[in-house]
Amino acid sequence: LINIIAILLFFIGPFAGLRSLTVIVDDPIAALLDSLVNQKVFEKAFSKPVVPKSNKFHFAPDSVPRYDDYTYQSRLAKLDVNSPFDLVYNEHVKGFINLYAVRKRESVSRMMGVAQLYYPMFEEVFDRYNIPLELKHLAVIESALIPYAKSRAGAMGLWQFMYPTGKMYGLNVSSYIDERCDPYKATVAAAEYLKTLYSMFNDWQMVLAAYNAGPGTISKAIRRSGGKKTYWEIRPYLPLETQGYVPAFIAANYVMNYSADHNIS
């Protein structure tokens, strides 16, 4: 086709004021890249996952490992040594471990992927506020690490702020913008809120319960329990959702640290 155009222009050129045709030579690097499209190696490179699947225990792809109580207890004890939280193991925690490691395996796998984006940012903010880094797992049970998650009660974002609490901690909410869904700004607000709750209760387990139920509900449970000051002591006086909140946090902490042992990646 180029040759035909060149011949036509040669004959009509004198009449149009054109004497020659300039042909642009294909760039050799661009031509080389175009040629890779037909190479199987190139196609296979893009078909591989960004993060290779970790299977150091050589589980079958559909294997769902299960362990006895002693194994769960010993693993949580190892995590507890380096944590300000009381990472105990009991039947309540066991139920949530089974939830995450068995019934919600696919959800945990997805969260492990996006955690590579969110967790470093959470840790940087929490370190600045001198907050335990384990609280990064709180977003797992709050929003499943979905920044636009919305609860039935109207809480929004990774950290599930209600409208008044979000406004209280500087998150702009209007008809056009909702900073509760901004991952960084919401994380800073969550750090400030957690710091405030700790100044009230001076116990991180109680802070978790207060984050879920509100500090007023926790204070009421303390009074009803006769002045008890630990989560497990006031647990019977808490709403049912909050009774499962701390066990869910402990289980999320466990599963995100021992995912490979459960063939989740």
Side-chain angles (χ1 to χ4, degrees), residues 5 9 68 71 75-76 109 125 142 167 181 191 194 229 234 259-260:
I5 294 174
L9 289 175
D68 56 30
T71 301
R75 288 174 179 173
L76 278 170
S109 177
V125 173
E142 281 290 339
K167 296 287 282 187
C181 297
L194 290 166
K229 293 297 180 68
I234 70 166
S259 56

Side-chain angles (χ1 to χ4, degrees), residues 201-203 206 222 225-234:
F201 300 105
N202 202 36
D203 180 278
M206 297 287 274
I222 291 174
S225 68
K228 305 294 184 181
K229 293 297 180 68
T230 67
Y231 169 78
W232 295 105
E233 288 175 324
I234 70 166

